[in-house]
Amino acid sequence: MTRMVRILGLALPALALSACVVGPNYSHPTTPVPATGGGFVEASHNAAIAATPLPDHWWRLYDDPAVDRLVTEALAHNTDIRVAAANLERARAVLSEQTGARLPTTSPSAQYSRQQANSASAAAFGGAAAAPQTFRFDSFKLGFDASYEVDLFGGVTRAIEAARGDAQAAQAQLDAARVSVAAETARAYASACSNAAQRAVAIETVALQQRTLGLTNTLFTAGRGTRRDVERADVLLAQTQASIPGFEAERRASLYALAVLTGLPPEQVDAAADACKAPPTMHTVVPVGDGAALIARRPDVRAAERTLAADTARVGVAVADLYPKISLLGSIGLNATRGSQLFKSSAANYSFGPLISWSFPNQTVARARIRQARAGADASLATFDGKVLGALSEVEQALARYAGALERNAALRRAEAASTSAAKLSQVRFTYGADSFLLLIEAERDRADARAALAQSDAAVADAQISLFKALGGGWEDAPAPTRREAAAQ
């Protein structure tokens, strides 16, 4: 017992030194000046943009129950989100593993064996020849081994820090997947509705052009027109009819994509999306917040920052390999040839003492790993800076495109109203012989082009809005955990 106390006395100074942690301490990296405050450049001269904070569920600004339901289902059942959630669970398990390294490793054991030896084996080594005899005996063993690595230079501490950073980065990547899925679900729904609206415009235009063709035929039969007039009217009709299959194909393709985004087979098309005839519209200004809020909210920026923290901790792990490692080992056991003797004092045995290991003087490998870890941390810092700049750039670009889409939409709306009035007037004037057929055809073509352009612009506005919200990085807050869809199996 006295010897054990002396050994513990020698080990206590090593335990006291375990508070020493080598390697660089992590500090949050600085961000570019625009990210620390102030609004966005493009938002300063756009009346459709407000600097108010972005809501947690931006898609509810459309006030469309179908959009809200579809995005909610996608956040709960999308396969990409499920993959990201599984990656998060794996990262958390790694963190638990690294945290467990702080605890002693224990290994209880129990063994029973029956052994047999023959005396004839002694003669093989020069022993006296005698009649072979057989010896049988039992062996009972109980043991308990324990080991504990003293975190003398903080290698275990840094490994835990790295695993914690990886887990937090995986959480941010899950949030990034939610951002992308929410935006792409809303985009697929808007695309289906927009193509349905453009198809409806084309069908309505076809009906008008068919009436014009019928009138042209009537006038040709009555001798007031030419065959060329009829053919030109037919060409205009055929061109509009040719656009309808394309709109229908794109509409169905969007519906299939929407089903998969919500975790369903493509053939299970959503009924509300299938019946939609116009893209969702927002009747309020778009809230975008400021640069500081954007950097704090964007999951990809948070993931890059947490990855940088993890890689900085890995430098400490590599530096700790330059120094000795000390482990405290202990073992206690009971050995006997009879079960009744197993718990007597004579059956007891034990061992206790430190184990020191050190790669010295050849530390080439350890120093090479330090350089690798530092290079990885430098790359992670550059990645973080790039994510910050990219986030700011994406929002400014999205704001510029959204402003352009709104201005173009307003101009096309005026053009559509004017072309409709001009076409109606030309139709009346042609009927009474005041306008030529050429003027009528030009008016019909202008109206068809204006209506088609407006429908396409409405789709572009919805798409630009969704791209802006995606760039702002919202929609992951309070998202439901991904689960299997039980209703699909019923």
Side-chain angles (χ1 to χ4, degrees):
M1 182 64 67
T2 303
R3 181 175 298 177
M4 184 178 295
V5 172
R6 287 201 299 269
I7 294 174
L8 286 173
L10 294 174
L12 286 176
L15 291 172
L17 288 174
S18 62
C20 176
V21 180
V22 297
N25 292 320
Y26 177 73
S27 59
H28 197 285
T30 58
T31 56
V33 175
T36 59
F40 299 104
V41 175
E42 287 291 331
S44 60
H45 48 76
N46 191 340
I49 301 299
T52 54
L54 183 71
D56 292 345
H57 306 92
W58 56 263
W59 55 89
R60 292 179 181 171
L61 295 174
Y62 287 111
D63 196 21
D64 189 329
V67 175
D68 187 24
R69 175 180 54 80
L70 288 167
V71 172
T72 302
E73 290 180 359
L75 291 175
H77 307 295
N78 182 266
T79 54
D80 290 340
I81 293 179
R82 288 167 51 194
V83 170
N87 290 337
L88 173 59
E89 290 302 317
R90 180 172 57 189
R92 287 174 175 171
V94 172
L95 175 59
S96 297
E97 178 185 358
Q98 295 295 339
T99 305
R102 286 193 181 278
L103 303 175
T105 300
T106 56
S107 302
S109 62
Q111 180 183 3
Y112 164 75
S113 63
R114 184 173 182 83
Q115 302 180 28
Q116 176 175 305
N118 196 310
S119 62
S121 60
F125 294 94
Q133 296 183 4
T134 300
F135 301 93
R136 298 183 180 89
F137 59 91
D138 297 330
S139 176
F140 298 87
K141 294 182 180 181
L142 292 176
F144 184 84
D145 298 332
S147 64
Y148 174 72
E149 180 180 349
V150 181
D151 193 17
L152 189 60
F153 296 100
V156 175
T157 299
R158 294 303 193 195
I160 293 174
E161 290 177 4
R164 181 176 294 111
D166 288 337
Q168 292 168 342
Q171 175 66 67
Q173 289 164 357
L174 172 58
D175 296 339
R178 288 167 172 160
V179 170
S180 178
V181 167
E184 294 309 315
T185 300
R187 194 191 307 277
Y189 176 80
S191 177
C193 298
S194 297
N195 280 284
Q198 293 179 78
R199 184 192 62 174
V201 168
I203 291 174
E204 185 177 349
T205 302
V206 164
L208 293 173
Q209 291 173 344
Q210 284 175 336
R211 287 198 294 269
T212 300
L213 178 61
L215 176 61
T216 307
N217 272 315
T218 301
L219 294 175
F220 172 70
T221 303
R224 286 186 53 190
T226 65
R227 172 59 63 182
R228 184 183 178 185
D229 294 340
V230 176
E231 291 176 349
R232 292 189 64 180
D234 194 27
V235 167
L236 187 61
L237 172 62
Q239 289 175 341
T240 306
Q241 289 175 327
S243 67
I244 296 176
F247 292 137
E248 175 60 19
E250 290 300 322
R251 187 187 75 88
R252 294 202 306 271
S254 298
L255 291 174
Y256 298 145
L258 183 61
V260 173
L261 283 166
T262 56
L264 292 172
E267 63 270 14
Q268 295 188 22
V269 171
D270 185 79
D274 191 19
C276 181
K277 302 300 181 184
T281 56
M282 191 172 298
H283 303 290
T284 61
V285 295
V286 176
V288 297
D290 57 21
L294 171 71
I295 299 307
R297 181 177 56 246
R298 282 269 298 222
D300 57 337
V301 174
R302 291 190 292 110
E305 187 272 330
R306 289 291 82 201
T307 299
L308 173 60
D311 288 342
T312 302
R314 290 187 180 95
V315 176
V317 175
V319 172
D321 289 339
L322 292 175
Y323 302 96
K325 286 183 170 58
I326 298 179
S327 297
L328 302 180
L329 306 179
S331 175
I332 186 171
L334 300 173
N335 297 334
T337 58
R338 294 182 181 179
S340 59
Q341 299 175 346
L342 185 63
F343 295 98
K344 293 184 177 181
S345 59
S346 58
N349 59 82
Y350 68 88
S351 65
F352 180 85
L355 172 65
I356 301 176
S357 59
W358 189 14
S359 297
F360 186 83
N362 183 2
Q363 295 185 319
T364 303
V365 174
R367 295 188 182 280
R369 288 174 178 169
I370 292 173
R371 294 196 301 272
Q372 295 173 28
R374 284 176 174 164
D378 290 342
S380 295
L381 176 58
T383 299
F384 171 77
D385 291 340
K387 291 295 184 181
V388 171
L389 295 175
L392 295 169
S393 175
E394 286 178 18
V395 173
E396 294 289 4
Q397 291 175 351
L399 285 170
R401 294 189 178 104
Y402 181 50
L406 288 178
E407 292 179 4
R408 183 172 184 270
N409 187 263
L412 288 175
R413 200 167 294 279
R414 293 195 305 270
E416 190 273 338
S419 65
T420 299
S421 298
K424 290 180 179 178
L425 179 60
S426 182
Q427 181 74 46
V428 173
R429 290 175 62 84
F430 176 74
T431 302
Y432 289 96
D435 275 353
S436 66
F437 182 77
L438 179 60
L439 292 176
L440 174 62
I441 290 296
E442 289 179 351
E444 290 286 355
R445 182 183 294 111
D446 290 343
R447 177 171 59 177
D449 292 343
R451 290 171 62 84
L454 179 59
Q456 184 180 15
S457 177
D458 290 339
V461 169
D463 188 77
Q465 283 176 341
I466 294 169
S467 295
L468 175 57
F469 285 123
K470 184 178 181 180
L472 290 171
W476 52 267
E477 305 89 344
D478 300 326
T483 58
R484 289 186 177 272
R485 186 189 298 268
E486 297 178 355
Q490 295 178 356

